[in-house]
Amino acid sequence: MFFHDISYMKKVFNMYEHYFSKIEYVSSVDSERHEKVSLLRNDEIDIMFTTTILERGVTLEYLDVVIVHTEKFTSSAIIQIAGRVGRKLSCPTGKVVCYHEGITKNMLHAKNEISKMNSLARKKGWIT
């Protein structure tokens, strides 16, 4: 789950941590961020709350993404976050769910760009 704000992320995490055993949060100011990301990569965490520090360079199987307050993200951040899903050949699918308080130009731009890129990839035979 991607959040736009560290303090808001922590508040939401505090509500959810009582219901899930393999849940964690991470941000750029977290001194244990490298260890937590390693736990996520090793399937020791099922739910990770994060800021945009995980929008690039993370490739996981069986990944679904939730963007909380999507209206607060730039179009490039939305594209990068959505791009985490389906990157493994062993699991080329997944969901991107956006929770928002109204659709913004950035959200529409991101959707259009993702559609264009996927269309181009299909034409080139990179995806089916």
Side-chain angles (χ1 to χ4, degrees), residues 18-49:
H18 304 292
Y19 299 102
F20 301 96
S21 58
K22 295 169 75 176
I23 185 172
E24 194 53 78
Y25 72 89
V26 66
S27 72
S28 60
V29 297
D30 189 339
S31 62
E32 298 176 11
R33 66 184 173 276
H34 299 293
E35 294 82 2
K36 290 178 180 180
V37 172
S38 291
L39 291 172
L40 179 65
R41 289 179 194 269
N42 294 330
D43 290 328
E44 296 178 51
I45 295 175
D46 291 333
I47 302 169
M48 178 68 85
F49 284 25

Side-chain angles (χ1 to χ4, degrees), residues 62-80:
Y62 310 107
L63 181 68
D64 294 319
V65 164
V66 175
I67 309 173
V68 179
H69 282 295
T70 312
E71 76 279 3
K72 297 186 186 250
F73 288 86
T74 64
S75 58
S76 59
I78 296 166
I79 292 166
Q80 285 295 327

